Amino acid sequence: MDRFKLSLIDEELESSEVAALRFLCRDVVNRKRLEDVSDAKKLFLRLEEKGLLDDDFFLAQLLQTINRADLLSVLETDSRPPEETDANPMLSDYRVTLYKIHENVTQENLEKMKFLLNPKLGRRQTEMCNTALDVFAEMEKIGLLSNTNMDELHKVLLKLDRDLARTVENYTQRSRREPLTSLLPHVSIDHRVNNTQPPPLDFLSISETQPSSVLVGETVCTDAEISNTRKSLSDLDEKEYYILSHNPRGWCVVINNENFTGPALKTRKGTQEDTKALREVFTRLGFKVVIENDLTAQQIRDKVIKLGRENFLDHDALVVCVLSHGEKDLVYGTDECPVNLKDLKKPFTSDSAPTLAGKPKLFFIQACQGNGYQRGALPCPPRPRQEEEEPQRSLEEDAGPVHGETVPSDCDFLVGMATVPECKSFRNTATGSIYIQELCRQLMISAGSPELEDINSVLIRVNREVSKGVFLTYKQMPQPYYTLTKRLVLKFI
Protein backbone atom coordinates (compact mmCIF):
# COMPACT_ATOMS: atom_id res chain seq x y z
CA MET A 1 0.00 0.00 0.00
CA ASP A 2 1.08 3.57 -0.69
CA ARG A 3 3.22 4.78 2.25
CA PHE A 4 1.98 8.34 1.68
CA LYS A 5 -1.59 7.26 2.38
CA LEU A 6 -0.55 5.36 5.47
CA SER A 7 1.21 8.48 6.69
CA LEU A 8 -1.95 10.54 6.17
CA ILE A 9 -3.95 8.04 8.19
CA ASP A 10 -1.30 8.01 10.94
CA GLU A 11 -1.51 11.80 11.29
CA GLU A 12 -5.27 11.62 11.85
CA LEU A 13 -5.25 8.94 14.54
CA GLU A 14 -5.14 9.77 18.23
CA SER A 15 -3.09 7.73 20.69
CA SER A 16 -6.22 6.10 22.13
CA GLU A 17 -7.25 5.01 18.64
CA VAL A 18 -3.81 3.55 17.99
CA ALA A 19 -4.13 1.59 21.24
CA ALA A 20 -7.49 0.29 20.06
CA LEU A 21 -6.02 -0.77 16.71
CA ARG A 22 -3.17 -2.51 18.50
CA PHE A 23 -5.66 -4.47 20.57
CA LEU A 24 -7.72 -5.43 17.50
CA CYS A 25 -4.57 -6.76 15.79
CA ARG A 26 -3.58 -9.10 18.62
CA ASP A 27 -5.05 -12.05 16.72
CA VAL A 28 -2.94 -11.52 13.61
CA VAL A 29 0.31 -10.03 14.93
CA ASN A 30 2.45 -11.64 17.63
CA ARG A 31 1.86 -9.97 20.99
CA LYS A 32 5.54 -9.20 21.52
CA ARG A 33 5.73 -7.56 18.11
CA LEU A 34 3.02 -5.16 19.27
CA GLU A 35 4.65 -4.15 22.54
CA ASP A 36 6.81 -1.41 21.04
CA VAL A 37 4.05 -0.04 18.79
CA SER A 38 3.48 3.53 19.92
CA ASP A 39 2.04 5.02 16.74
CA ALA A 40 0.13 3.89 13.69
CA LYS A 41 3.22 3.91 11.46
CA LYS A 42 4.83 1.14 13.51
CA LEU A 43 1.60 -0.81 13.51
CA PHE A 44 1.40 -0.54 9.74
CA LEU A 45 4.93 -1.96 9.49
CA ARG A 46 3.86 -4.97 11.57
CA LEU A 47 0.83 -5.49 9.34
CA GLU A 48 2.99 -5.22 6.23
CA GLU A 49 5.21 -7.99 7.58
CA LYS A 50 2.15 -10.23 7.66
CA GLY A 51 1.03 -9.21 4.18
CA LEU A 52 -2.11 -7.61 5.58
CA LEU A 53 -1.64 -4.33 3.73
CA ASP A 54 -1.29 -5.84 0.27
CA ASP A 55 -4.76 -4.44 -0.33
CA ASP A 56 -7.13 -2.12 1.53
CA PHE A 57 -9.42 -4.71 3.07
CA PHE A 58 -7.94 -5.37 6.49
CA LEU A 59 -7.10 -1.73 7.20
CA ALA A 60 -10.58 -0.70 6.11
CA GLN A 61 -12.05 -3.11 8.66
CA LEU A 62 -9.86 -1.67 11.39
CA LEU A 63 -10.88 1.90 10.63
CA GLN A 64 -14.56 1.02 10.44
CA THR A 65 -14.39 -0.81 13.76
CA ILE A 66 -12.92 2.19 15.62
CA ASN A 67 -15.51 4.47 13.97
CA ARG A 68 -13.05 6.26 11.69
CA ALA A 69 -14.91 5.65 8.45
CA ASP A 70 -13.96 9.19 7.48
CA LEU A 71 -10.45 7.89 6.74
CA LEU A 72 -11.73 5.33 4.25
CA SER A 73 -11.76 8.06 1.61
CA VAL A 74 -7.96 7.94 1.70
CA LEU A 75 -8.07 4.27 0.74
CA GLU A 76 -10.71 4.70 -1.95
CA THR A 77 -8.41 6.92 -3.98
CA ASP A 78 -6.14 3.93 -4.54
CA SER A 79 -5.91 3.35 -8.30
CA ARG A 80 -5.22 -0.35 -7.87
CA PRO A 81 -8.28 -2.61 -8.33
CA PRO A 82 -9.32 -4.52 -5.19
CA GLU A 83 -8.72 -8.24 -4.98
CA GLU A 84 -11.28 -9.96 -7.16
CA THR A 85 -12.19 -13.17 -5.41
CA ASP A 86 -9.94 -13.66 -2.41
CA ALA A 87 -11.45 -12.44 0.82
CA ASN A 88 -8.45 -11.58 2.95
CA PRO A 89 -8.23 -12.42 6.68
CA MET A 90 -10.94 -10.64 8.62
CA LEU A 91 -11.03 -9.13 12.05
CA SER A 92 -12.19 -11.66 14.57
CA ASP A 93 -15.70 -11.32 15.93
CA TYR A 94 -14.16 -11.88 19.35
CA ARG A 95 -11.94 -8.76 19.11
CA VAL A 96 -14.70 -6.62 17.68
CA THR A 97 -17.04 -7.70 20.48
CA LEU A 98 -14.50 -6.74 23.15
CA TYR A 99 -13.96 -3.39 21.46
CA LYS A 100 -17.71 -2.68 21.47
CA ILE A 101 -17.82 -3.47 25.18
CA HIS A 102 -14.85 -1.14 25.76
CA GLU A 103 -16.65 1.67 23.90
CA ASN A 104 -19.65 1.42 26.23
CA VAL A 105 -17.86 1.02 29.56
CA THR A 106 -18.19 4.19 31.63
CA GLN A 107 -15.36 5.36 33.84
CA GLU A 108 -17.37 4.38 36.89
CA ASN A 109 -17.94 0.86 35.57
CA LEU A 110 -14.28 0.58 34.59
CA GLU A 111 -13.27 1.23 38.20
CA LYS A 112 -15.80 -1.33 39.41
CA MET A 113 -14.51 -3.85 36.88
CA LYS A 114 -10.95 -3.36 38.08
CA PHE A 115 -12.08 -3.74 41.69
CA LEU A 116 -13.92 -7.00 40.98
CA LEU A 117 -10.99 -8.46 39.03
CA ASN A 118 -8.28 -7.24 41.41
CA PRO A 119 -7.98 -10.55 43.32
CA LYS A 120 -7.33 -12.46 40.09
CA LEU A 121 -5.33 -9.94 38.07
CA GLY A 122 -3.24 -8.59 40.93
CA ARG A 123 -3.09 -5.08 42.32
CA ARG A 124 -0.16 -3.85 40.23
CA GLN A 125 -1.61 -5.09 36.94
CA THR A 126 -5.03 -3.69 37.78
CA GLU A 127 -3.70 -0.24 38.62
CA MET A 128 -1.85 -0.07 35.30
CA CYS A 129 -5.10 -0.54 33.36
CA ASN A 130 -6.39 2.77 32.02
CA THR A 131 -9.09 1.39 29.72
CA ALA A 132 -11.30 -1.68 29.45
CA LEU A 133 -9.04 -2.88 26.63
CA ASP A 134 -6.13 -2.90 29.07
CA VAL A 135 -8.20 -4.99 31.46
CA PHE A 136 -9.09 -7.44 28.69
CA ALA A 137 -5.42 -7.75 27.71
CA GLU A 138 -4.45 -8.59 31.31
CA MET A 139 -7.25 -11.13 31.52
CA GLU A 140 -5.97 -12.81 28.37
CA LYS A 141 -2.44 -13.03 29.75
CA ILE A 142 -3.53 -15.20 32.67
CA GLY A 143 -6.10 -17.23 30.71
CA LEU A 144 -9.22 -15.58 32.15
CA LEU A 145 -10.43 -14.48 28.73
CA SER A 146 -10.27 -15.98 25.25
CA ASN A 147 -12.40 -16.34 22.15
CA THR A 148 -13.82 -19.60 23.56
CA ASN A 149 -14.05 -18.53 27.20
CA MET A 150 -15.81 -15.31 28.14
CA ASP A 151 -17.42 -16.66 31.30
CA GLU A 152 -15.43 -14.54 33.76
CA LEU A 153 -16.05 -11.36 31.80
CA HIS A 154 -19.72 -12.21 31.57
CA LYS A 155 -19.95 -12.64 35.36
CA VAL A 156 -18.34 -9.27 35.93
CA LEU A 157 -20.52 -7.47 33.39
CA LEU A 158 -23.69 -8.93 34.91
CA LYS A 159 -22.83 -6.95 38.06
CA LEU A 160 -22.13 -3.76 36.12
CA ASP A 161 -24.37 -3.45 33.08
CA ARG A 162 -26.93 -5.94 31.81
CA ASP A 163 -26.68 -4.62 28.23
CA LEU A 164 -22.93 -5.21 28.17
CA ALA A 165 -23.46 -8.72 29.52
CA ARG A 166 -25.94 -9.30 26.71
CA THR A 167 -23.24 -8.36 24.21
CA VAL A 168 -21.17 -11.28 25.50
CA GLU A 169 -24.19 -13.57 25.35
CA ASN A 170 -24.82 -12.62 21.73
CA TYR A 171 -21.19 -13.32 20.85
CA THR A 172 -21.39 -16.74 22.51
CA GLN A 173 -24.48 -17.60 20.49
CA ARG A 174 -22.80 -16.50 17.26
CA SER A 175 -19.66 -18.50 18.00
CA ARG A 176 -21.77 -21.62 18.49
CA ARG A 177 -23.14 -21.06 15.01
CA GLU A 178 -19.53 -20.90 13.72
CA PRO A 179 -19.60 -17.42 12.15
CA LEU A 180 -17.83 -16.63 8.91
CA THR A 181 -16.11 -13.48 10.01
CA SER A 182 -13.69 -14.42 12.75
CA LEU A 183 -10.23 -15.91 13.20
CA LEU A 184 -8.84 -17.95 16.06
CA PRO A 185 -6.18 -15.90 17.88
CA HIS A 186 -3.57 -18.65 17.55
CA VAL A 187 -3.98 -19.14 13.83
CA SER A 188 -1.30 -17.46 11.73
CA ILE A 189 -2.70 -15.84 8.63
CA ASP A 190 0.70 -15.42 7.01
CA HIS A 191 -0.17 -18.12 4.49
CA ARG A 192 2.16 -16.62 1.88
CA VAL A 193 5.10 -18.44 3.49
CA ASN A 194 5.69 -21.60 1.46
CA ASN A 195 6.25 -23.89 4.43
CA THR A 196 3.15 -22.69 6.25
CA GLN A 197 0.34 -25.20 6.07
CA PRO A 198 -3.30 -24.58 7.03
CA PRO A 199 -3.99 -25.69 10.60
CA PRO A 200 -4.95 -29.39 10.84
CA LEU A 201 -8.67 -29.90 11.13
CA ASP A 202 -10.21 -32.74 13.04
CA PHE A 203 -13.29 -33.00 10.93
CA LEU A 204 -14.48 -30.48 8.36
CA SER A 205 -12.67 -27.49 6.95
CA ILE A 206 -15.30 -24.83 7.39
CA SER A 207 -13.12 -21.90 8.41
CA GLU A 208 -10.32 -20.98 10.78
CA THR A 209 -12.88 -19.43 13.07
CA GLN A 210 -14.56 -22.17 15.01
CA PRO A 211 -13.26 -23.81 18.16
CA SER A 212 -12.67 -27.54 17.90
CA SER A 213 -15.55 -28.25 20.24
CA VAL A 214 -18.07 -27.07 17.65
CA LEU A 215 -16.15 -27.96 14.50
CA VAL A 216 -18.43 -30.73 13.41
CA GLY A 217 -21.45 -28.49 13.10
CA GLU A 218 -23.84 -31.31 13.95
CA THR A 219 -26.72 -31.27 16.35
CA VAL A 220 -26.07 -33.75 19.16
CA CYS A 221 -29.05 -35.98 19.72
CA THR A 222 -29.84 -39.19 21.53
CA ASP A 223 -30.00 -42.60 19.92
CA ALA A 224 -33.76 -42.44 20.24
CA GLU A 225 -33.92 -39.22 18.27
CA ILE A 226 -31.73 -40.67 15.56
CA SER A 227 -33.88 -43.73 15.22
CA ASN A 228 -37.02 -41.59 15.06
CA THR A 229 -35.49 -39.53 12.26
CA ARG A 230 -34.57 -42.62 10.28
CA LYS A 231 -38.01 -44.05 10.74
CA SER A 232 -39.67 -40.91 9.49
CA LEU A 233 -37.34 -40.84 6.48
CA SER A 234 -38.45 -44.33 5.50
CA ASP A 235 -42.09 -43.27 5.78
CA LEU A 236 -41.83 -40.22 3.52
CA ASP A 237 -44.57 -39.74 0.95
CA GLU A 238 -43.11 -40.42 -2.52
CA LYS A 239 -45.41 -37.80 -3.98
CA GLU A 240 -43.94 -35.09 -1.77
CA TYR A 241 -40.34 -36.20 -1.24
CA TYR A 242 -37.52 -37.60 -3.34
CA ILE A 243 -36.80 -41.05 -1.94
CA LEU A 244 -33.14 -41.77 -1.20
CA SER A 245 -32.76 -45.47 -0.54
CA HIS A 246 -29.56 -46.60 -2.26
CA ASN A 247 -26.11 -46.75 -0.71
CA PRO A 248 -24.27 -44.96 -2.14
CA ARG A 249 -26.89 -42.35 -3.04
CA GLY A 250 -25.08 -41.56 -6.28
CA TRP A 251 -22.12 -39.60 -7.63
CA CYS A 252 -20.82 -36.31 -6.30
CA VAL A 253 -18.33 -34.96 -8.86
CA VAL A 254 -16.19 -31.97 -7.84
CA ILE A 255 -14.40 -30.11 -10.63
CA ASN A 256 -11.72 -28.13 -8.84
CA ASN A 257 -9.77 -25.62 -10.95
CA GLU A 258 -6.92 -24.04 -9.02
CA ASN A 259 -4.08 -23.40 -11.49
CA PHE A 260 -4.66 -21.56 -14.77
CA THR A 261 -2.23 -21.62 -17.68
CA GLY A 262 -3.00 -18.22 -19.19
CA PRO A 263 -2.06 -14.72 -18.01
CA ALA A 264 -5.58 -13.43 -17.33
CA LEU A 265 -6.72 -15.68 -14.48
CA LYS A 266 -4.74 -16.10 -11.29
CA THR A 267 -4.34 -19.15 -9.07
CA ARG A 268 -7.36 -19.83 -6.87
CA LYS A 269 -5.63 -20.24 -3.52
CA GLY A 270 -7.83 -21.79 -0.84
CA THR A 271 -9.90 -23.91 -3.23
CA GLN A 272 -8.39 -27.11 -1.79
CA GLU A 273 -10.16 -26.30 1.48
CA ASP A 274 -13.45 -26.25 -0.42
CA THR A 275 -12.61 -29.62 -1.96
CA LYS A 276 -11.90 -31.11 1.46
CA ALA A 277 -15.15 -29.75 2.86
CA LEU A 278 -17.26 -31.01 -0.05
CA ARG A 279 -15.63 -34.44 0.08
CA GLU A 280 -16.33 -34.77 3.79
CA VAL A 281 -19.91 -33.56 3.64
CA PHE A 282 -21.11 -35.55 0.64
CA THR A 283 -19.28 -38.70 1.72
CA ARG A 284 -21.17 -38.56 5.00
CA LEU A 285 -24.39 -37.89 3.09
CA GLY A 286 -23.84 -41.20 1.28
CA PHE A 287 -22.45 -40.06 -2.06
CA LYS A 288 -19.44 -41.47 -3.86
CA VAL A 289 -17.21 -38.42 -4.25
CA VAL A 290 -14.87 -37.98 -7.22
CA ILE A 291 -12.46 -35.01 -7.41
CA GLU A 292 -11.33 -33.78 -10.82
CA ASN A 293 -8.49 -31.26 -10.54
CA ASP A 294 -7.44 -28.59 -13.04
CA LEU A 295 -9.52 -29.37 -16.14
CA THR A 296 -9.48 -27.40 -19.37
CA ALA A 297 -12.78 -26.28 -20.85
CA GLN A 298 -12.91 -29.23 -23.23
CA GLN A 299 -11.99 -31.66 -20.47
CA ILE A 300 -14.88 -30.32 -18.39
CA ARG A 301 -17.29 -30.87 -21.29
CA ASP A 302 -15.91 -34.35 -21.91
CA LYS A 303 -16.23 -35.29 -18.22
CA VAL A 304 -19.88 -34.26 -17.92
CA ILE A 305 -20.81 -35.88 -21.24
CA LYS A 306 -19.19 -39.14 -20.15
CA LEU A 307 -20.88 -38.93 -16.75
CA GLY A 308 -24.25 -38.32 -18.41
CA ARG A 309 -23.91 -41.63 -20.26
CA GLU A 310 -23.70 -43.62 -17.02
CA ASN A 311 -26.48 -45.93 -15.92
CA PHE A 312 -28.18 -44.23 -12.95
CA LEU A 313 -30.78 -46.92 -12.22
CA ASP A 314 -29.15 -47.67 -8.86
CA HIS A 315 -28.61 -43.99 -8.04
CA ASP A 316 -31.00 -41.71 -6.16
CA ALA A 317 -29.41 -38.35 -7.04
CA LEU A 318 -26.50 -36.59 -8.71
CA VAL A 319 -24.31 -33.78 -7.36
CA VAL A 320 -21.90 -31.74 -9.49
CA CYS A 321 -19.73 -29.00 -7.95
CA VAL A 322 -17.62 -26.64 -10.05
CA LEU A 323 -14.97 -24.49 -8.37
CA SER A 324 -13.39 -22.06 -10.81
CA HIS A 325 -13.25 -18.53 -12.15
CA GLY A 326 -16.30 -17.45 -14.08
CA GLU A 327 -18.57 -14.83 -15.54
CA LYS A 328 -22.30 -14.64 -16.10
CA ASP A 329 -23.67 -18.08 -17.04
CA LEU A 330 -20.24 -19.61 -17.57
CA VAL A 331 -17.17 -21.00 -15.84
CA TYR A 332 -13.59 -21.16 -17.09
CA GLY A 333 -11.37 -24.13 -17.72
CA THR A 334 -7.74 -23.92 -16.72
CA ASP A 335 -6.93 -22.89 -20.31
CA GLU A 336 -9.09 -19.79 -19.70
CA CYS A 337 -11.69 -20.97 -22.23
CA PRO A 338 -15.36 -20.71 -21.18
CA VAL A 339 -17.89 -23.44 -20.53
CA ASN A 340 -21.54 -22.42 -20.51
CA LEU A 341 -23.54 -23.56 -17.50
CA LYS A 342 -26.21 -24.93 -19.81
CA ASP A 343 -23.55 -27.26 -21.27
CA LEU A 344 -22.90 -28.59 -17.75
CA LYS A 345 -26.56 -29.42 -17.25
CA LYS A 346 -27.48 -30.65 -20.73
CA PRO A 347 -26.01 -34.20 -20.42
CA PHE A 348 -28.28 -34.82 -17.40
CA THR A 349 -31.68 -33.69 -18.68
CA SER A 350 -34.44 -36.28 -18.72
CA ASP A 351 -34.11 -36.92 -22.45
CA SER A 352 -30.28 -37.09 -22.38
CA ALA A 353 -30.04 -39.25 -19.23
CA PRO A 354 -33.36 -41.14 -18.92
CA THR A 355 -32.18 -43.15 -15.90
CA LEU A 356 -31.90 -39.82 -14.04
CA ALA A 357 -35.43 -38.75 -14.94
CA GLY A 358 -37.42 -37.86 -11.85
CA LYS A 359 -34.28 -37.79 -9.68
CA PRO A 360 -32.73 -34.66 -8.14
CA LYS A 361 -29.67 -33.22 -9.87
CA LEU A 362 -27.79 -30.69 -7.75
CA PHE A 363 -25.22 -28.26 -9.16
CA PHE A 364 -23.18 -25.96 -6.93
CA ILE A 365 -21.11 -23.33 -8.74
CA GLN A 366 -18.37 -21.43 -6.93
CA ALA A 367 -17.37 -18.75 -9.45
CA CYS A 368 -17.84 -15.09 -10.17
CA GLN A 369 -20.71 -14.10 -12.46
CA GLY A 370 -19.27 -10.77 -13.53
CA ASN A 371 -17.03 -7.91 -12.49
CA GLY A 372 -19.51 -5.99 -10.36
CA TYR A 373 -19.54 -5.62 -6.60
CA GLN A 374 -22.54 -5.62 -4.31
CA ARG A 375 -22.91 -2.90 -1.72
CA GLY A 376 -25.05 -2.98 1.39
CA ALA A 377 -28.22 -0.93 1.79
CA LEU A 378 -30.62 -0.28 4.64
CA PRO A 379 -34.12 -1.66 4.06
CA CYS A 380 -36.99 0.84 3.92
CA PRO A 381 -39.42 0.78 6.83
CA PRO A 382 -42.67 -1.05 6.03
CA ARG A 383 -45.55 1.10 4.80
CA PRO A 384 -48.87 1.04 6.63
CA ARG A 385 -51.13 -1.65 5.24
CA GLN A 386 -53.96 -0.43 3.05
CA GLU A 387 -57.37 -1.23 4.43
CA GLU A 388 -58.49 -2.60 1.13
CA GLU A 389 -56.20 -4.07 -1.42
CA GLU A 390 -57.00 -4.39 -5.09
CA PRO A 391 -57.85 -8.02 -5.81
CA GLN A 392 -55.41 -9.82 -8.05
CA ARG A 393 -56.49 -10.35 -11.60
CA SER A 394 -57.14 -13.87 -12.71
CA LEU A 395 -54.49 -15.30 -14.96
CA GLU A 396 -55.33 -17.60 -17.85
CA GLU A 397 -53.25 -19.66 -20.23
CA ASP A 398 -54.49 -20.55 -23.69
CA ALA A 399 -52.55 -23.82 -23.82
CA GLY A 400 -54.42 -26.96 -24.74
CA PRO A 401 -55.05 -29.81 -22.29
CA VAL A 402 -52.16 -32.07 -21.30
CA HIS A 403 -53.00 -35.75 -21.64
CA GLY A 404 -51.24 -37.88 -19.04
CA GLU A 405 -48.35 -37.00 -16.75
CA THR A 406 -45.07 -36.13 -18.46
CA VAL A 407 -41.57 -35.42 -17.19
CA PRO A 408 -40.18 -32.14 -18.58
CA SER A 409 -36.64 -32.39 -19.87
CA ASP A 410 -35.27 -29.76 -17.49
CA CYS A 411 -37.12 -30.71 -14.33
CA ASP A 412 -35.58 -31.90 -11.04
CA PHE A 413 -32.56 -29.58 -11.23
CA LEU A 414 -31.24 -27.37 -8.47
CA VAL A 415 -28.43 -24.91 -9.18
CA GLY A 416 -26.74 -23.10 -6.30
CA MET A 417 -24.72 -20.11 -7.49
CA ALA A 418 -22.18 -18.44 -5.22
CA THR A 419 -23.40 -15.01 -6.29
CA VAL A 420 -26.02 -13.24 -8.36
CA PRO A 421 -25.42 -12.34 -12.04
CA GLU A 422 -22.97 -9.54 -12.87
CA CYS A 423 -21.23 -9.78 -9.48
CA LYS A 424 -18.12 -11.30 -7.95
CA SER A 425 -17.93 -14.00 -5.32
CA PHE A 426 -15.26 -14.12 -2.63
CA ARG A 427 -12.75 -16.71 -1.51
CA ASN A 428 -10.46 -16.68 1.50
CA THR A 429 -7.04 -17.77 0.30
CA ALA A 430 -6.44 -19.76 3.50
CA THR A 431 -9.84 -21.17 4.44
CA GLY A 432 -11.78 -21.50 1.20
CA SER A 433 -14.64 -19.70 -0.49
CA ILE A 434 -17.29 -17.95 1.53
CA TYR A 435 -20.17 -19.71 -0.25
CA ILE A 436 -18.91 -23.30 -0.35
CA GLN A 437 -17.76 -23.24 3.27
CA GLU A 438 -21.13 -21.93 4.45
CA LEU A 439 -22.97 -24.40 2.22
CA CYS A 440 -21.04 -27.30 3.75
CA ARG A 441 -21.62 -26.00 7.26
CA GLN A 442 -25.38 -25.71 6.76
CA LEU A 443 -25.62 -29.13 5.12
CA MET A 444 -23.87 -30.63 8.14
CA ILE A 445 -26.21 -28.89 10.55
CA SER A 446 -29.29 -30.02 8.64
CA ALA A 447 -28.05 -33.60 8.18
CA GLY A 448 -27.35 -33.97 11.89
CA SER A 449 -30.66 -32.47 13.00
CA PRO A 450 -33.71 -34.59 13.89
CA GLU A 451 -35.82 -32.22 11.77
CA LEU A 452 -36.73 -33.18 8.20
CA GLU A 453 -35.41 -30.01 6.63
CA ASP A 454 -35.33 -29.87 2.85
CA ILE A 455 -32.53 -28.49 0.67
CA ASN A 456 -34.42 -25.27 -0.10
CA SER A 457 -34.54 -24.38 3.60
CA VAL A 458 -30.83 -25.12 3.88
CA LEU A 459 -30.01 -22.80 0.98
CA ILE A 460 -32.13 -20.02 2.45
CA ARG A 461 -29.94 -20.18 5.55
CA VAL A 462 -26.83 -20.15 3.37
CA ASN A 463 -28.17 -17.01 1.68
CA ARG A 464 -28.84 -15.38 5.01
CA GLU A 465 -25.47 -16.17 6.59
CA VAL A 466 -23.38 -15.23 3.55
CA SER A 467 -25.33 -12.01 3.04
CA LYS A 468 -24.45 -10.90 6.58
CA GLY A 469 -20.72 -10.81 5.82
CA VAL A 470 -18.64 -7.94 4.49
CA PHE A 471 -15.79 -8.92 2.16
CA LEU A 472 -13.30 -6.37 0.84
CA THR A 473 -15.91 -3.83 2.09
CA TYR A 474 -18.50 -5.39 -0.24
CA LYS A 475 -21.35 -7.88 0.11
CA GLN A 476 -22.09 -11.24 -1.48
CA MET A 477 -25.52 -12.68 -2.25
CA PRO A 478 -25.77 -16.35 -3.33
CA GLN A 479 -28.50 -17.33 -5.74
CA PRO A 480 -30.16 -20.75 -5.86
CA TYR A 481 -32.71 -21.59 -8.55
CA TYR A 482 -34.44 -24.87 -9.15
CA THR A 483 -36.95 -26.95 -11.05
CA LEU A 484 -37.32 -29.50 -8.29
CA THR A 485 -40.74 -31.12 -8.17
CA LYS A 486 -40.45 -32.61 -4.68
CA ARG A 487 -38.77 -31.90 -1.37
CA LEU A 488 -35.21 -33.18 -0.97
CA VAL A 489 -33.97 -34.11 2.50
CA LEU A 490 -30.29 -35.01 2.88
CA LYS A 491 -29.29 -36.95 6.00
CA PHE A 492 -26.21 -38.84 7.13
CA ILE A 493 -26.10 -42.51 6.16
Side-chain angles (χ1 to χ4, degrees):
M1 186 180 295
D2 191 334
R3 290 292 180 91
F4 176 71
K5 294 175 182 179
L6 295 178
S7 179
L8 289 178
I9 294 173
D10 170 65
E11 292 174 2
E12 294 292 328
L13 293 173
E14 299 177 1
S15 59
S16 60
E17 292 172 324
V18 173
L21 292 176
R22 190 168 61 239
F23 179 83
L24 290 169
C25 291
R26 286 165 70 95
D27 289 350
V28 295
V29 179
N30 186 283
R31 193 169 301 173
K32 290 186 177 180
R33 298 287 288 158
L34 291 172
E35 288 179 354
D36 65 341
V37 171
S38 56
D39 55 38
K41 291 193 292 293
K42 288 186 178 180
L43 178 62
F44 296 153
L45 290 174
R46 300 293 180 265
L47 294 177
E48 276 187 332
E49 293 171 358
K50 290 291 185 179
L52 290 171
L53 294 186
D54 289 350
D55 55 59
D56 305 337
F57 179 58
F58 193 75
L59 182 54
Q61 286 186 91
L62 289 171
L63 295 175
Q64 287 174 328
T65 302
I66 65 169
N67 300 314
R68 290 305 306 267
D70 58 308
L71 296 179
L72 294 179
S73 59
V74 177
L75 302 179
E76 290 173 359
T77 60
D78 197 337
S79 60
R80 295 178 298 104
E83 291 293 321
E84 293 189 352
T85 56
D86 292 342
N88 288 358
M90 293 169 281
L91 279 178
S92 74
D93 189 20
Y94 165 68
R95 291 280 160 205
V96 174
T97 298
L98 293 180
Y99 182 79
K100 289 178 179 178
I101 294 172
H102 151 77
E103 281 189 301
N104 292 285
V105 171
T106 64
Q107 187 61 36
E108 179 182 359
N109 278 341
L110 174 61
E111 295 303 322
K112 291 180 180 178
M113 182 187 298
K114 291 163 62 176
F115 175 79
L116 292 171
L117 290 170
N118 185 287
K120 295 183 178 181
L121 296 182
R123 180 177 177 181
R124 179 176 175 274
Q125 285 76 11
T126 304
E127 290 178 349
M128 291 176 61
C129 295
N130 297 317
T131 67
L133 294 181
D134 295 334
V135 175
F136 301 154
E138 292 298 327
M139 292 178 69
E140 287 180 327
K141 286 181 182 178
I142 63 173
L144 275 183
L145 181 64
S146 72
N147 68 313
T148 59
N149 179 19
M150 297 184 75
D151 294 343
E152 190 66 32
L153 178 60
H154 184 243
K155 291 177 185 178
V156 171
L157 293 178
L158 280 174
K159 299 175 182 178
L160 304 180
D161 188 317
R162 189 65 187 82
D163 289 337
L164 293 181
R166 192 173 295 113
T167 301
V168 174
E169 293 163 8
N170 292 338
Y171 164 79
T172 302
Q173 292 176 358
R174 291 195 303 273
S175 65
R176 287 172 181 168
R177 293 196 299 266
E178 303 170 350
L180 287 171
T181 55
S182 61
L183 291 170
L184 284 175
H186 65 273
V187 174
S188 169
I189 51 80
D190 192 11
H191 48 270
R192 292 168 177 79
V193 181
N194 292 333
N195 60 1
T196 301
Q197 298 296 325
L201 299 179
D202 295 331
F203 186 73
L204 174 64
S205 174
I206 295 299
S207 73
E208 292 174 285
T209 66
Q210 63 265 35
S212 59
S213 59
V214 295
L215 193 59
V216 176
E218 297 180 44
T219 300
V220 177
C221 52
T222 66
D223 290 339
E225 290 172 327
I226 294 173
S227 63
N228 288 338
T229 300
R230 289 175 177 168
K231 181 180 179 181
S232 58
L233 278 173
S234 65
D235 293 337
L236 292 180
D237 184 352
E238 292 188 16
K239 293 182 180 180
E240 293 292 327
Y241 291 86
Y242 291 105
I243 302 303
L244 308 181
S245 57
H246 291 88
N247 188 4
R249 302 294 192 219
W251 294 103
C252 171
V253 178
V254 180
I255 298 173
N256 175 44
N257 282 354
E258 179 177 11
N259 303 295
F260 294 78
T261 57
L265 300 176
K266 59 185 179 181
T267 300
R268 298 182 60 256
K269 296 179 180 178
T271 189
Q272 294 298 338
E273 296 304 311
D274 290 343
T275 302
K276 293 176 186 176
L278 290 167
R279 184 197 297 275
E280 184 65 40
V281 170
F282 283 101
T283 297
R284 293 205 63 191
L285 292 176
F287 288 83
K288 186 175 181 179
V289 180
V290 176
I291 308 296
E292 300 285 355
N293 289 310
D294 291 340
L295 301 185
T296 65
Q298 189 56 51
Q299 286 173 333
I300 293 175
R301 295 189 192 95
D302 291 343
K303 289 290 182 184
V304 295
I305 290 173
K306 182 179 179 181
L307 180 62
R309 293 171 179 165
E310 292 282 335
N311 185 342
F312 297 98
L313 283 177
D314 293 328
H315 293 210
D316 298 319
L318 172 71
V319 179
V320 176
C321 306
V322 181
L323 317 175
S324 189
H325 288 293
E327 291 184 24
K328 184 179 179 182
D329 297 329
L330 62 86
V331 294
Y332 285 106
T334 55
D335 55 354
E336 300 190 353
C337 294
V339 178
N340 290 325
L341 295 185
K342 64 180 181 181
D343 292 335
L344 293 176
K345 295 170 52 184
K346 187 176 180 181
F348 309 106
T349 58
S350 298
D351 48 1
S352 298
T355 55
L356 268 179
K359 300 175 182 180
K361 297 162 277 281
L362 312 182
F363 286 73
F364 297 106
I365 312 296
Q366 170 55 45
C368 292
Q369 287 210 68
N371 292 318
Y373 289 94
Q374 289 192 325
R375 297 183 181 273
L378 292 175
C380 295
R383 294 188 301 173
R385 238 185 123 172
Q386 298 294 330
E387 292 183 2
E388 294 183 5
E389 296 181 356
E390 182 180 352
Q392 291 185 348
R393 298 178 180 179
S394 300
L395 300 178
E396 295 184 354
E397 182 66 53
D398 286 333
V402 177
H403 300 285
E405 187 173 342
T406 61
V407 178
S409 176
D410 290 311
C411 76
D412 302 304
F413 278 91
L414 181 147
V415 180
M417 303 296 297
T419 185
V420 294
E422 316 294 347
C423 291
K424 292 181 180 292
S425 60
F426 294 92
R427 170 173 34 84
N428 187 296
T429 55
T431 61
S433 65
I434 306 304
Y435 172 68
I436 292 295
Q437 295 295 325
E438 185 63 28
L439 170 68
C440 291
R441 188 173 76 88
Q442 295 298 341
L443 285 171
M444 293 296 292
I445 291 172
S446 175
S449 167
E451 301 296 327
L452 293 178
E453 186 177 44
D454 68 11
I455 188 67
N456 292 335
S457 299
V458 173
L459 293 180
I460 287 174
R461 284 209 311 274
V462 173
N463 284 359
R464 181 170 63 245
E465 293 303 316
V466 172
S467 67
K468 289 178 182 178
V470 178
F471 317 105
L472 292 176
T473 73
Y474 298 102
K475 306 289 284 185
Q476 179 174 332
M477 185 68 245
Q479 182 190 48
Y481 58 92
Y482 64 91
T483 57
L484 298 179
T485 56
K486 301 178 183 180
R487 298 180 184 275
L488 174 62
V489 177
L490 297 175
K491 293 291 183 181
F492 297 135
I493 283 190

